Structure formats: structure tokens, C-alpha cells
């Protein structure tokens, strides 16, 4: 019983009920993920809360997100940066960006979020070209094959002190498949190797179980 996915879900629900207030705007954003190209891939409520806590703990004012989808995590981030803060979020699909903008309006944070539509790598390169002010926290949660490109762009768009979170790095243990033909696994393994080799970055990865099954995230601190 204690190893079943049903128990993982029930435990998530218990802690979410105890500690994580998901208001109507967040609940609506979660439901609307069904209207996106990737239903139900938004973060769980307790993971959204973790992002918000990190923003608060480091006092992040400028947040960058790779992968908007319906804007569920974007709402958590945008609320956490507060009125003076901003979130820039990159979304490839026009349809998803439209869903996200409605959700951000409903949540009352549309004025502090910029949704940039297009391939995230191109959008990030454009931010680098125009000399965007450095971001304090970056959440990488877009197409997994491009994780390495997103990390490299992140290093151009941040300064020492920045916090970087990378979602979905475990995927039911698929990460162990060294010679995997799956470009998503390759995307995780190459970004891990880059982090390990870059002495500007200090990092750890935690596995998670819960409403989203068995997965995990990497948390990195830019030191230099
Ligand atoms: C997938 C992507 C995500 O960001 C996620 O949280 C879960 C699944 C996917 O590509 O299937
Ligand atoms: Mg994800």
C-alpha cells in the first residue's frame, strides 16, 4: 500500500490541503491546461508553492520561465514577485499563450507578466541581444531536448546569486538510460553534465513522487 501511486497522490492531497492554498484563479488555470497542447503537465500545487517560496526566500524581483503552457506556475511566480516584480515567460504555442493570458488576467497578475510567443531558444537569444536586465530566478520547464540550450541562455541572462530550477529531470527513472534514443532523456543528461562541469553552479536534484507520479527537479545556485 505504501508504495502505490494512489498513496503518493493521497499524501500530496493531504499536504496541499494543510499548507498550500490554491485559490479559484489557480484552480481555473489548472483546469484550463486541458485546453493546451500538453494537458496536465503543469506543476503540482505543492511544487508551485515551492517556486513561490524560493522567489520569496531569495527576494527575486525578476523571474524568467521557459515554458508557460496555461500559466499555472507563472501565476505562482508572479504572485511571489509582488507588485514591483516581473515575470517573463516563454511559450512556443500561440494557443497556449492565449490560454495563459486569460489565466493571468483572472489571477490579477497580467500587468507584471510578459508572455513571449515563439521558440524559447529564439526568445531567450533575443533577450540576450537586447541586453535584458539580469533575472534573479529562472524556471526551466519547456521542451526537454533543449534543456542545455536553455541553461546556456540562462547563464547569459543571470548573475551570481541567481537560482535556477529545472523540472522533470527524473521521468520514472528514464534519466538512467545512458544511451537512450529519447531526446528528452538526452536533454536531461547533457544539462546535468554541464552543471556538474561548471564551477559557477552549485546544484542538487531531488526525486519527487505525488500527483505527478515519479519525477524530480534540479535546484541550482549560481555562485560565480
Ligand atoms: C512533460 C513536460 C512537463 O513539463 C511535465 O511537468 C510533465 C511532462 C512532458 O513533456 O511530457
Ligand atoms: Mg514540467
Amino acid at each position: 500500500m505504501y508504495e502505490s501511486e494512489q498513496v503518493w497522490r493521497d499524501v500530496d492531497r493531504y499536504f496541499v490541503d494543510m499548507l498550500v492554498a490554491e485559490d479559484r484563479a489557480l484552480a481555473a488555470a489548472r483546469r484550463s491546461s486541458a485546453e493546451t497542447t500538453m494537458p496536465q503537465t503543469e506543476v503540482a500545487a505543492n511544487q508551485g508553492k515551492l517556486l513561490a517560496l524560493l522567489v520569496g526566500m531569495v527576494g527575486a524581483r525578476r523571474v524568467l520561465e521557459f515554458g508557460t503552457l496555461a500559466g499555472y506556475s507563472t501565476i505562482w511566480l508572479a504572485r511571489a514577485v509582488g507588485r514591483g516584480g516581473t515575470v517573463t515567460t516563454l511559450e512556443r504555442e500561440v494557443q497556449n499563450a492565449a490560454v495563459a493570458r486569460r489565466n493571468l488576467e483572472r489571477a490579477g497578475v497580467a500587468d507584471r507578466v510578459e508572455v513571449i510567443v515563439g521558440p524559447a531558444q529564439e526568445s531567450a537569444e533575443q533577450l540576450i541581444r537586447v541586453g535584458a536586465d539580469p533575472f534573479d530566478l529562472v524556471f526551466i520547464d519547456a521542451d526537454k531536448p533543449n534543456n542545455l540550450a536553455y541553461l546556456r541562455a540562462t547563464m547569459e541572462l543571470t548573475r551570481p546569486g541567481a537560482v535556477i530550477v529545472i523540472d522533470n529531470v527524473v521521468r520514472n527513472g528514464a534519466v538512467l538510460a545512458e544511451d537512450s534514443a529519447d531526446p528528452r532523456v538526452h536533454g536531461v543528461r547533457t544539462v546535468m553534465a554541464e552543471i556538474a562541469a561548471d564551477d559557477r553552479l552549485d546544484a542538487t536534484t531531488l526525486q519527487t513522487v505525488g500527483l505527478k507520479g515519479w519525477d524530480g527537479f534540479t535546484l541550482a545556485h549560481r555562485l560565480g
Side-chain angles (χ1 to χ4, degrees):
M1 152 174 190
Y2 292 109
E3 291 170 20
S4 79
E5 297 201 14
Q6 183 58 50
V7 179
W8 300 350
R9 282 192 286 273
D10 291 347
V11 170
D12 250 13
R13 280 198 195 92
Y14 167 72
F15 285 113
V16 167
D17 286 349
M18 290 297 286
L19 303 175
V20 182
E22 197 183 56
D23 68 358
R24 288 166 63 166
L26 280 165
R30 170 181 303 295
R31 284 193 300 273
S32 78
S33 98
E35 298 157 33
T36 69
T37 54
M38 296 188 57
Q40 281 163 24
T41 52
E42 75 284 350
V43 298
N46 49 356
Q47 296 166 336
K49 179 71 179 279
L50 174 67
L51 294 172
L53 286 168
L54 288 170
V55 166
M57 286 169 176
V58 302
R61 309 300 284 163
R62 287 178 52 77
V63 169
L64 174 63
E65 178 179 57
F66 290 81
T68 315
L69 209 63
Y72 179 80
S73 47
T74 323
I75 294 173
W76 280 107
L77 293 164
R79 286 179 168 168
V81 295
R83 279 189 193 287
T86 63
V87 178
T88 301
T89 183
L90 313 181
E91 173 55 45
R92 182 176 52 199
E93 307 294 337
V94 177
Q95 172 193 342
N96 299 345
V99 172
R101 285 192 177 108
R102 282 198 294 279
N103 286 326
L104 295 164
E105 287 284 350
R106 192 190 288 111
V109 292
D111 55 341
R112 64 184 86 147
V113 179
E114 184 183 13
V115 184
I116 303 179
V117 181
Q121 198 176 337
E122 286 175 24
S123 302
E125 279 163 11
Q126 178 66 10
L127 289 171
I128 296 166
R129 264 197 303 277
V130 302
D133 288 340
F135 293 94
D136 308 309
L137 183 142
V138 179
F139 181 43
I140 300 178
D141 188 24
D143 49 317
K144 313 310 172 189
N146 283 320
N147 272 342
L148 180 58
Y150 299 154
L151 180 72
R152 287 183 175 164
T154 293
M155 296 308 285
E156 301 292 320
L157 290 164
T158 55
R159 296 287 176 272
V163 168
I164 303 163
V165 182
I166 308 177
D167 197 24
N168 310 117
V169 297
V170 175
R171 303 295 287 272
N172 293 305
V175 64
L176 289 181
E178 230 172 285
D179 302 318
S180 174
D182 185 339
R184 295 172 303 178
V185 172
H186 188 71
V188 172
R189 292 184 65 94
T190 52
V191 85
M192 286 308 123
E194 179 110 336
I195 292 170
D198 189 336
D199 55 18
R200 294 172 298 174
L201 291 172
D202 200 15
T204 189
T205 292
L206 288 185
Q207 300 187 66
T208 55
V209 294
L211 282 166
K212 299 286 164 174
W214 174 27
D215 212 327
F217 63 91
T218 296
L219 179 61
H221 190 198
R222 179 167 184 173
L223 302 176

